[in-house]
Amino acid sequence: MSYKTLKVLENLVLICDTKIENTREVKRNLTEAYQTNKKFFNSDTPTIAVTFIYKRTDLEKIVHHQTKDWEVAYAYNNDELKNQIVIFSPEVIETVSRNTKSYFPYLLTHEMAHIFTNNVCIFFQPRWLYEGLAGFVAKQYTKIKKISKFVEFKFIHDKNGWNNNPSYAQAYSFTKFLIDKYGEKKVLNFTIERLSKLNRYHKFEEFKTEYDDFFKEKFEKVSELWKQNTFY
């Protein structure tokens, strides 16, 4: 493959096979994804490297597990590489997953939101909020009218619980509910002022204590109100 590194913005690069890609189109997609996140988080980030992959085995080498067909991208840091995104090229995404090429920009914006969250908000849990913010910024689930299954938030608070019950639509719906209720700025301030100060792997009860104190109302009461409006 003819992998090359292309500079998209001052702090955004793309690594891809230039013989396969429509570089003008993908540069536009990356620029729009970055600007959408910058507007929401009101901040830039350190340089993000987006690498297009073309085979499922390439993704599995990075995530270190056998992936499902809906898994198409991954944002990560390790000791040597920071602010990395790997994602299936829009040219192959329909052959390696159940996603359409037209959905690629939403997926890209979602993964980029994780990079912004890691650098601006600096929290890892609760996972439903980590994923919910990314879904909100990417506007991925706006057409979903009904959530088929509700999972107690305590069960999707940490990474293991989330992996056992990935609840993207629920995470988006409740995150949107909180943003509609409190506003984007206040929700972001909560993550920055409170969640970033907690242990990366804090307990659900610790989160609730910080939530109740910051918003001056009980998390259980607010989540039950959302649940009643959503499911009943």
Side-chain angles (χ1 to χ4, degrees), residues 162-212:
W162 178 268
N163 288 343
N164 290 330
N165 294 282
S167 308
Y168 289 94
Q170 176 178 324
Y172 163 79
S173 176
F174 187 53
T175 299
K176 184 179 184 303
F177 179 84
L178 295 179
I179 289 174
D180 289 344
K181 179 177 177 62
Y182 300 120
E184 292 180 5
K185 184 176 180 180
K186 189 164 186 178
V187 171
L188 283 177
N189 284 346
F190 169 66
T191 67
I192 295 168
E193 296 175 17
R194 298 300 182 92
L195 295 186
S196 67
K197 305 298 190 297
L198 291 175
N199 182 285
R200 179 177 173 87
Y201 302 107
H202 64 269
K203 303 297 184 182
F204 179 61
E205 294 299 324
E206 296 177 274
F207 157 74
K208 287 199 301 180
T209 297
E210 294 298 330
Y211 179 99
D212 296 353

Side-chain angles (χ1 to χ4, degrees), residues 4 15 55 67 114 117 126 147 153 170 174 198 218:
K4 291 185 178 180
I15 304 161
K55 297 182 296 182
T67 57
H114 287 324
T117 299
I147 302 172
F153 286 103
Q170 176 178 324
F174 187 53
L198 291 175
K218 297 290 186 181

Side-chain angles (χ1 to χ4, degrees), residues 23-120:
T23 55
R24 182 176 181 180
E25 180 179 355
V26 295
K27 280 185 175 182
R28 177 177 57 80
N29 285 334
L30 264 71
T31 299
E32 290 177 356
Y34 187 92
Q35 296 298 345
T36 296
N37 276 281
K38 180 179 178 179
K39 180 179 179 181
F40 179 80
F41 289 97
N42 193 33
S43 178
D44 279 303
T45 67
T47 298
I48 299 173
V50 179
T51 301
F52 282 2
I53 52 178
Y54 302 87
K55 297 182 296 182
R56 187 155 290 276
T57 52
D58 292 336
L59 179 61
E60 292 174 347
K61 286 177 183 177
I62 294 171
V63 300
H64 304 298
H65 66 257
Q66 186 173 353
T67 57
K68 299 176 182 178
D69 66 352
W70 58 266
E71 294 179 271
V72 294
Y74 185 57
Y76 70 98
N77 293 315
N78 61 32
D79 292 339
E80 297 178 356
L81 300 171
K82 305 296 183 184
N83 305 313
Q84 302 290 310
I85 294 173
V86 291
I87 186 169
F88 282 114
S89 160
E91 300 301 324
V92 303
I93 199 165
E94 293 185 358
T95 62
V96 297
S97 77
R98 62 192 186 193
N99 290 282
T100 62
K101 185 176 180 179
S102 62
Y103 198 58
F104 172 83
Y106 298 95
L107 297 166
L108 177 64
T109 304
H110 179 114
E111 295 305 320
M112 210 170 282
H114 287 324
I115 301 295
F116 274 80
T117 299
N118 294 341
N119 285 283
V120 178

